[in-house]
Amino acid sequence: MELSDIRKEIDTIDEQLLPLFMKRMDCAKKVAEVKKRDGTPVFNPVREQEILDRISAKAGEYGGAARIVYNTIMSESRALQHSLLGAGKDLRQRISAAPKAPRRTTNVACLGGAGSYSHDVLQALYPQAEPSFFSRFSDIFRCVEQRQADLAVIPVENSSAGSVSEVYGLLMQYCFSIIAAKTLGVHHCLASRTGRIADIRCVRSKDIALMQCSQRLATLQLPLSEISSTSAAAELAEKDVGIAAVCSESAAQQHGLKILEPDIQNADNNATRFVVISKEMCIPDDAQKISLCFNVAHTTGSLNSVLSRFAAAGMNLTKIESRPIEGKDFEYDFYLDFTGNVHDPKVLELLCSLEDELPRFHFLGNYCEMK
Amino acid sequence: MELSDIRKEIDTIDEQLLPLFMKRMDCAKKVAEVKKRDGTPVFNPVREQEILDRISAKAGEYGGAARIVYNTIMSESRALQHSLLGAGKDLRQRISAAPKAPRRTTNVACLGGAGSYSHDVLQALYPQAEPSFFSRFSDIFRCVEQRQADLAVIPVENSSAGSVSEVYGLLMQYCFSIIAAKTLGVHHCLASRTGRIADIRCVRSKDIALMQCSQRLATLQLPLSEISSTSAAAELAEKDVGIAAVCSESAAQQHGLKILEPDIQNADNNATRFVVISKEMCIPDDAQKISLCFNVAHTTGSLNSVLSRFAAAGMNLTKIESRPIEGKDFEYDFYLDFTGNVHDPKVLELLCSLEDELPRFHFLGNYCEMK
């Protein structure tokens, strides 16, 4: 037998299988009508479990595979019902009421001091804004919460050091809107007051900056010590000739330091991604990135069936992060970034159906990803 | 029309749909035979794309849903072919050759010094071992690489502060085996030499410990400063009356400190999960946790189709982490933990098929999760 013969057989099967699948989706429509009339909820875990058990028992050796295929079919059927039932009214309203740009950008909070990477991004995005500097992420979030700042610029991930765990925790805790994202190429230099290697007793910087330069720093064989930001390290180096800072060239300049060596980061294309957070949602017309978080039941295939819905709406996953829920024993929330725009009806319908369906679902924003 | 009528209709459709799915899986078996004879690779992205495009065009309004269901069907079909072709020979051999326990546990590396949380876990797991202390995670991994330590105990995640990003980066870089995991309830205290709050100028600890105690520390209104470990903080507090450490009670004792306040962590059930890493794989019979990492193509539904395979094998996802690949612009590797045991044939077959199919797939271990 040849591959082409078997493929013909498969195509013949598909010609019968697809219409059945479509008839099944037609039934989902009818179910939605009845559920609308009777006020019955869309998700019926008992009925779904019965179907899965029956199907996988009948499928014999293909039981596991059949279960997963049916899981996907039923998840798509639920999505259709949610959309017909007009799910997520609140979210729909919040999205349609969102302005295209932030109402106020007078005061913007960020980490570190003048010359920090966060400050560079802040100046690029909001050149007219008054910056407020903080040494801890938790203080920045509190400041936005109390409306002492209109917005805040926050680093979320570095191409070599990974996610800033603390920030993802705070994003999921406060559920502020993300209104923009920008990736900044990060070039660290080693700088000190005298610019002489012999004077240096200790190298200081933010933990994540030390990681990004780990290869070059290892060859120096000097003690490393963490501090809250790269600009704080430059400030210390200004006061103490024995301290070298790993910081941006602009921070070195700001504090009158001499550069011992530029570009000491491990990877040439070292880059950090920042997001801008706000208490008020705003959505530009050309937004192409969506962030959200949710909690799914800790059962086989639960995350998978949610992810399949995003794939069905043509949304690409660009980031996934699982976070333990504080105070619970390793129960997880998920944070995800996708490509997409809420003005695409498929995307909006998906978000609205998930808001109805998932516990702790939060749409965090739809924004532009700037380079 | 009543719900029960529509459900009968759905059940009738399923009675026709399931046999077709099973016939399609029978075809996958025949395809495997031909591919074995001809040496053709299992994955044929062009043919799969053609099918997906044809199916979703034919499905009209259900196009997105049909695409995702077919994506799942084809992924299950590939899984079957891989298993029939005896995929993953190397991995199968490595797993069957793995001893049940580590050959040597003489020297075990960990972070911090005597009394650090890592040291507590090390003593609980390997009471006879000689500990080697390090102040940086990268040095611990290097030490295992150079066989200066047989094993190392590494914190990977805290229930309130989240993942230790740096460690996940190192786990994926070195691809050592994970041979055990243990979760430790973490109780931080505030301690200083005099035990008098009035003497304290600054509170020091590891960044993640400061985060875990953020609520209580905020009310103290004292400057906070990061250091490489909680035990290093206790050591500093021993030398300087102006410094208070956030550390374990055992570290406070070790350094002759007085406890100003016990249990200052935000959550009562604050816990940290540690893993034990080794250059040599070992797999206990009652192993119930599997770790792995891989890279998937950055296209719609790619991660989803891999996750569906785990679900089909009855494996529960307990952790997922996406990591940028260093030196590439935000390309991602995934790190995952699942429940499962490699002596379950379904689990072993899945791992073997993924080793053949996915770029940069690494099975990191199968181990016991201890409380």
Side-chain angles (χ1 to χ4, degrees):
Chain A
M1 194 176 246
E2 290 308 311
L3 211 50
S4 55
D5 301 325
I6 314 171
R7 284 187 174 159
K8 263 183 216 149
E9 205 179 328
I10 292 176
D11 292 346
T12 312
I13 294 170
D14 286 345
E15 272 161 37
Q16 302 164 44
L17 205 154
L18 184 67
L20 284 171
F21 168 71
M22 291 168 71
K23 259 174 84 177
R24 209 183 187 287
M25 292 297 274
D26 289 338
C27 288
K29 274 189 185 170
K30 292 188 223 165
V31 169
E33 275 166 39
V34 174
K35 286 186 176 170
K36 194 170 194 171
R37 188 191 67 197
D38 302 348
T40 328
V42 168
F43 186 39
N44 183 342
V46 176
R47 157 97 178 149
E48 291 205 359
Q49 207 51 54
E50 275 171 16
I51 295 181
L52 288 176
D53 290 344
R54 195 178 59 222
I55 291 289
S56 68
K58 273 195 186 167
E61 61 174 318
Y62 305 134
R67 179 179 279 270
I68 235 48
V69 169
Y70 260 80
N71 212 9
T72 310
I73 292 176
M74 291 193 296
S75 169
E76 290 304 321
S77 152
R78 271 202 310 277
L80 178 62
Q81 293 179 46
H82 277 294
S83 125
L84 293 170
L85 288 168
K89 276 202 192 88
D90 284 359
L91 180 60
R92 216 175 275 267
Q93 215 151 35
R94 274 177 65 216
I95 286 174
S96 74
K100 296 185 200 311
R103 291 184 215 275
R104 283 170 54 90
T105 60
T106 316
N107 194 306
V108 183
C110 78
L111 194 78
S116 69
Y117 295 103
S118 296
H119 185 217
D120 285 353
V121 172
L122 191 160
Q123 286 183 311
L125 294 176
Y126 308 104
Q128 316 292 337
E130 181 69 36
S132 310
F133 296 115
F134 292 87
S135 62
R136 304 194 73 80
F137 291 124
S138 52
D139 294 335
I140 297 179
F141 277 78
R142 206 170 302 124
C143 159
V144 172
E145 173 69 31
Q146 295 165 350
R147 298 184 191 273
Q148 286 157 9
D150 305 315
L151 309 171
V153 173
I154 310 268
V156 288
E157 183 166 37
N158 175 267
S159 56
S160 62
S163 296
V164 186
S165 266
E166 184 186 3
V167 167
Y168 279 101
L170 291 163
L171 285 173
M172 289 188 235
Q173 180 190 332
Y174 283 92
C175 291
F176 292 147
S177 285
I178 298 176
I179 64 161
K182 183 172 171 62
T183 295
L184 180 79
V186 169
H187 300 269
H188 296 296
C189 68
L190 187 71
S192 74
R193 218 167 73 197
T194 64
R196 276 195 312 261
I197 192 89
D199 294 332
I200 301 170
R201 292 186 329 271
C202 176
V203 178
R204 303 206 62 172
S205 196
K206 184 155 177 58
D207 52 351
I208 207 162
L210 293 173
M211 277 181 233
Q212 289 161 27
C213 304
S214 58
Q215 292 164 10
R216 181 68 185 102
L217 293 175
T219 65
L220 290 177
Q221 302 199 303
L222 283 164
L224 308 177
S225 168
E226 292 160 13
I227 188 168
S228 61
S229 72
T230 52
S231 53
E235 202 182 323
L236 273 188
E238 188 180 7
K239 291 184 198 145
D240 184 341
V241 291
I243 289 175
V246 171
C247 61
S248 68
E249 298 203 1
S250 74
Q253 249 170 18
Q254 197 90 29
H255 293 280
L257 304 181
K258 293 197 177 121
I259 292 169
L260 284 93
E261 194 176 329
D263 283 315
I264 60 163
Q265 66 280 356
N266 299 350
D268 276 346
N269 49 359
N270 187 36
T272 298
R273 183 171 178 259
F274 295 79
V275 295
V276 180
I277 55 169
S278 159
K279 266 196 107 163
E280 271 81 41
M281 181 179 294
C282 68
I283 303 176
D285 282 335
D286 54 347
Q288 82 273 52
K289 206 65 168 288
I290 288 172
S291 294
L292 42 91
C293 59
F294 58 78
N295 168 254
V296 288
H298 192 66
T299 57
T300 304
S302 51
L303 175 66
N304 164 51
S305 85
V306 177
L307 289 183
S308 73
R309 302 264 283 273
F310 289 101
M315 295 163 75
N316 261 325
L317 181 71
T318 63
K319 168 86 190 164
I320 182 165
E321 183 94 9
S322 65
R323 281 286 307 189
I325 299 174
E326 186 154 4
K328 305 213 175 173
D329 266 1
F330 290 87
E331 260 185 55
Y332 289 89
D333 271 334
F334 292 94
Y335 172 98
L336 301 100
D337 287 340
F338 287 96
T339 56
N341 182 296
V342 289
H343 302 303
D344 174 344
K346 259 198 228 161
V347 170
L348 183 61
E349 251 163 39
L350 172 61
L351 296 176
C352 288
S353 75
L354 292 178
E355 184 170 67
D356 266 23
E357 199 173 331
L358 295 176
R360 298 163 63 101
F361 175 88
H362 292 283
F363 167 69
L364 298 175
N366 189 193
Y367 49 89
C368 294
E369 184 77 54
M370 288 168 274
K371 290 284 161 193
Chain B
M1 195 176 245
E2 290 308 311
L3 212 49
S4 55
D5 301 325
I6 314 172
R7 284 187 174 156
K8 262 184 216 149
E9 204 180 328
I10 291 176
D11 292 344
T12 312
I13 293 171
D14 285 346
E15 270 161 37
Q16 303 164 50
L17 206 154
L18 185 67
L20 285 170
F21 168 71
M22 291 168 71
K23 260 174 85 178
R24 209 182 186 286
M25 292 298 274
D26 288 338
C27 287
K29 274 190 183 167
K30 292 187 221 164
V31 168
E33 275 166 37
V34 174
K35 285 185 177 171
K36 194 169 194 171
R37 187 190 69 199
D38 302 349
T40 327
V42 167
F43 186 38
N44 183 342
V46 177
R47 157 97 178 149
E48 291 204 357
Q49 206 52 54
E50 275 171 15
I51 294 181
L52 288 178
D53 290 344
R54 195 177 61 221
I55 292 289
S56 67
K58 273 195 185 167
E61 61 173 317
Y62 305 134
R67 177 180 282 269
I68 236 50
V69 169
Y70 261 80
N71 212 9
T72 310
I73 292 176
M74 292 193 295
S75 170
E76 289 304 320
S77 152
R78 276 203 307 277
L80 178 63
Q81 293 178 46
H82 278 295
S83 127
L84 293 170
L85 288 168
K89 276 202 191 88
D90 285 359
L91 181 60
R92 216 174 276 269
Q93 215 150 36
R94 276 176 63 214
I95 286 174
S96 75
K100 296 187 201 307
R103 290 184 216 277
R104 283 169 54 90
T105 60
T106 316
N107 193 308
V108 183
C110 77
L111 194 77
S116 70
Y117 295 103
S118 296
H119 186 217
D120 285 352
V121 173
L122 191 160
Q123 286 182 311
L125 295 177
Y126 307 104
Q128 316 293 334
E130 180 69 36
S132 309
F133 296 115
F134 292 87
S135 62
R136 303 192 73 79
F137 291 124
S138 53
D139 293 336
I140 298 179
F141 277 79
R142 207 170 299 124
C143 159
V144 172
E145 172 69 32
Q146 294 164 352
R147 296 182 191 276
Q148 286 158 8
D150 304 315
L151 308 171
V153 172
I154 310 268
V156 289
E157 184 167 36
N158 174 268
S159 56
S160 62
S163 296
V164 188
S165 267
E166 183 184 3
V167 167
Y168 279 99
L170 290 163
L171 285 172
M172 290 187 234
Q173 180 190 334
Y174 282 92
C175 290
F176 292 147
S177 285
I178 297 176
I179 65 161
K182 182 170 171 62
T183 296
L184 180 79
V186 169
H187 299 268
H188 295 297
C189 68
L190 187 71
S192 73
R193 217 167 74 197
T194 64
R196 274 195 312 262
I197 191 88
D199 294 332
I200 301 168
R201 290 187 328 272
C202 176
V203 178
R204 304 206 61 170
S205 196
K206 185 156 176 59
D207 52 352
I208 207 162
L210 293 174
M211 276 182 235
Q212 289 162 27
C213 304
S214 57
Q215 292 164 10
R216 181 68 187 104
L217 293 175
T219 66
L220 290 177
Q221 301 199 303
L222 282 164
L224 308 177
S225 170
E226 294 161 12
I227 187 166
S228 60
S229 72
T230 51
S231 53
E235 201 182 323
L236 273 190
E238 188 180 6
K239 291 182 199 146
D240 184 340
V241 290
I243 289 176
V246 170
C247 61
S248 68
E249 297 204 2
S250 73
Q253 248 169 18
Q254 198 89 28
H255 293 281
L257 303 181
K258 293 198 176 120
I259 292 169
L260 283 92
E261 192 177 330
D263 283 315
I264 60 163
Q265 65 281 353
N266 300 349
D268 277 345
N269 48 359
N270 187 37
T272 298
R273 184 171 178 257
F274 294 79
V275 296
V276 179
I277 55 170
S278 160
K279 266 196 109 163
E280 271 81 41
M281 181 178 294
C282 68
I283 303 176
D285 282 336
D286 55 347
Q288 81 273 49
K289 206 65 168 287
I290 288 172
S291 294
L292 43 90
C293 58
F294 58 79
N295 169 256
V296 288
H298 191 66
T299 57
T300 304
S302 50
L303 174 67
N304 165 51
S305 86
V306 177
L307 288 183
S308 73
R309 303 263 284 272
F310 289 101
M315 295 162 74
N316 260 326
L317 180 71
T318 64
K319 166 88 189 161
I320 182 166
E321 182 94 8
S322 65
R323 280 286 306 189
I325 299 173
E326 187 154 5
K328 304 211 175 172
D329 266 1
F330 291 86
E331 261 186 52
Y332 289 88
D333 272 336
F334 291 94
Y335 171 98
L336 300 100
D337 286 341
F338 287 97
T339 56
N341 182 295
V342 290
H343 302 303
D344 174 345
K346 260 199 228 161
V347 170
L348 184 60
E349 252 164 40
L350 172 61
L351 295 176
C352 288
S353 75
L354 292 178
E355 182 168 69
D356 267 22
E357 198 174 329
L358 295 176
R360 300 163 63 101
F361 176 88
H362 293 282
F363 167 67
L364 298 176
N366 190 193
Y367 49 89
C368 295
E369 183 77 53
M370 288 167 274
K371 290 284 162 192

